[in-house]
Amino acid sequence: MTVELVILGLVVVTALAFDFTNGFHDTGNAMATSIATGALSPRTAVALSAVLNLVGAFLSVEVATTVTKDVLLIQTSDGGLVHGLDPTLALVLIFSGLIGGILWNLATWLFGLPSSSSHALFGGLIGAGLASLGIAGVNWSGVVQKILVPAALAPFIAGCVAAVGTALVYLISRAASNRHKDRGFRWGQVGTASMVSLAHGTGDAQKTMGVIALALIAHGNLSVQGIEDNGLPPWIIVTCAVAIALGTYLGGWRVIRTLGKGLVEIEPPQGMAAEASSAAIILTSSHFGMALSTTHVATGSILGSGVGKPGARVRWGVAGRMVVGWLLTLPAAAVVGAVCFIIARAVGGLPGAVVIFLLLAAASAVIFLRSRHQKVDRHNVNAEWDENTHSVAPGDPDRADTQEVARS
């Protein structure tokens, strides 16, 4: 077995690990409002989301194609690697970018911060690309058109759509009794949240598919033209679909809590309007191959539902912390990706790849153990939000042994 093949195997395994973290990090985008209003129980919500993420991953490969050609420039027009890259170095580049994405996902999950898994991945790849090839290694026009512009517009558009939708929902249903209205909107939430889960699988699973395809391009097994002509190999689609579904079923409870309880006290009509606007925007962007952040869309929609409901209280301080996290995502993941590439290249070959893999494993273990001190799970995810202490009372009936809920 060659060194290149072993590194390729590490890249594929790490890419699927990123897909797994993407699943549990982004479960809240689809199901936070349904869990917060009681439309679905926490366990039922994540199980339903997992199944629909699995199905959604098979519906399109447009975003995957975007990842292979619109972020990094590692392949020439004739199918070879660009000057300065050999197959081993190209695989280490992609490997380093994945590590940047995974560690940012885990760090933001620890703090219950809904940040973009997509931008973490792209940031890691861009940082590794800059460290290996310089400015010429990044497809800047693709990054601006397919990543940065949608990132800036998506939360605003989603918020406006959700605000208008929420206002219309309350206006149209004001004559209905609260009991019948809440029951109907809870069912509506189930339907719209299911659409967001389907859309998430359609968009986010493809990003990992694109990274694995990029690794196969670097190894010489695939070409961009071959993907455009014949599509992705089926095994890539199946493994990525399963990985994101398993991660979704795990449930990213810390992020779910922030989205469901931290931004706005959500009622069923708001939840339905927020999820409907998110689903429409995410599915539209996937159709056009835009690597849109579902987190940005879902957060904008939830904030918009608060703005659209008369008298609703929006916690702008929590929203402000989230925006800071969004702004840091690309550069922070890029720094990690660049540092990992520099370390791997300094050590050299397979030992370099093993070293950064061990660093990833060690950092992941530290974050996981830290999270056990501030446990958030399906039992206390709906505990009342306390802006001052962020804690669950010791006598909370849902989680008597829980002392603290993660600060968001």
Side-chain angles (χ1 to χ4, degrees):
M1 186 178 291
T2 66
V3 169
E4 290 173 15
L5 195 57
V6 174
I7 297 176
L8 176 62
L10 286 174
V11 171
V12 171
V13 169
T14 307
L16 294 176
F18 171 82
D19 208 22
F20 182 82
T21 67
N22 191 348
F24 74 73
H25 196 285
D26 290 1
T27 309
N29 297 341
M31 291 299 173
T33 63
S34 297
I35 292 171
T37 63
L40 289 168
S41 69
R43 182 53 69 194
T44 301
V46 297
L48 176 61
S49 186
V51 171
L52 290 168
N53 267 274
L54 179 68
V55 174
F58 291 92
L59 298 183
S60 170
V61 294
E62 291 300 321
V63 175
T65 303
T66 294
V67 175
T68 62
K69 60 187 177 65
D70 289 336
V71 180
L72 297 177
L73 295 174
I74 67 170
Q75 192 177 37
T76 61
S77 57
D78 61 2
L81 292 173
V82 298
H83 178 70
L85 278 187
D86 57 45
T88 299
L89 206 57
L91 288 170
V92 170
L93 185 165
I94 297 165
F95 192 17
S96 302
L98 283 167
I99 292 174
I102 290 174
L103 291 182
W104 182 256
N105 268 357
L106 292 176
T108 50
W109 163 77
L110 177 65
F111 293 103
L113 184 67
S115 70
S116 171
S117 297
S118 307
H119 289 182
L121 173 62
F122 298 143
L125 291 173
I126 289 169
L130 288 172
S132 59
L133 297 170
I135 294 176
V138 179
N139 184 349
W140 295 108
S141 63
V143 168
V144 171
Q145 294 172 18
K146 295 294 183 73
I147 299 173
L148 296 183
V149 171
L153 296 179
F156 177 75
I157 294 173
C160 291
V161 172
V164 172
T166 301
L168 288 174
V169 162
Y170 276 101
L171 180 64
I172 294 169
S173 63
R174 61 184 176 182
S177 68
N178 286 336
R179 184 169 68 88
H180 289 94
K181 181 166 63 178
D182 281 356
R183 182 185 303 168
F185 282 121
R186 281 195 176 100
W187 279 109
Q189 273 192 278
V190 174
T192 53
S194 296
M195 289 176 62
V196 175
S197 293
L198 191 69
H200 183 265
T202 303
D204 279 44
Q206 290 185 58
K207 293 160 190 171
T208 307
M209 296 178 201
V211 171
I212 294 176
L214 198 63
L216 292 173
I217 289 171
H219 190 256
N221 301 91
L222 279 179
S223 67
V224 172
Q225 189 60 49
I227 294 172
E228 291 178 345
D229 293 341
N230 306 312
L232 291 171
W235 70 266
I236 296 179
I237 299 172
V238 172
T239 54
C240 290
V242 171
I244 200 169
L246 290 174
T248 302
Y249 182 71
L250 183 67
W253 304 112
R254 309 169 88 84
V255 178
I256 289 173
R257 174 164 170 75
T258 301
L259 286 172
K261 305 296 289 186
L263 287 172
V264 182
E265 290 298 328
I266 297 174
E267 294 180 349
Q270 294 168 267
M272 192 188 80
E275 300 292 358
S277 63
S278 294
I281 292 169
I282 295 167
L283 286 170
T284 300
S285 69
S286 294
H287 175 73
F288 289 106
M290 289 187 291
L292 200 65
S293 166
T294 55
T295 301
H296 290 184
V297 174
T299 304
S301 295
I302 291 171
L303 287 171
S305 74
V307 172
K309 182 198 171 188
R313 179 192 172 198
V314 179
R315 297 187 180 94
W316 293 108
V318 176
R321 290 196 292 273
M322 290 168 56
V323 171
V324 170
W326 293 355
L327 294 175
L328 290 175
T329 297
L330 275 168
V335 169
V336 175
V339 169
C340 286
F341 180 83
I342 291 169
I343 292 172
R345 184 168 57 182
V347 175
L350 180 58
V354 171
V355 166
I356 61 174
F357 182 79
L358 293 175
L359 289 174
L360 169 64
S364 300
V366 169
I367 293 171
F368 175 77
L369 292 174
R370 179 67 182 85
S371 74
R372 298 298 87 190
H373 298 297
Q374 299 175 318
K375 193 171 183 179
V376 182
D377 59 19
R378 62 190 177 90
H379 299 289
N380 66 345
V381 69
N382 267 345
E384 289 301 315
W385 185 270
D386 189 328
E387 186 65 28
N388 295 317
T389 65
H390 298 278
S391 65
V392 179
D396 187 282
D398 289 331
R399 184 75 181 177
D401 62 338
T402 299
Q403 295 181 344
E404 186 177 6
V405 171
R407 179 164 183 158
S408 303

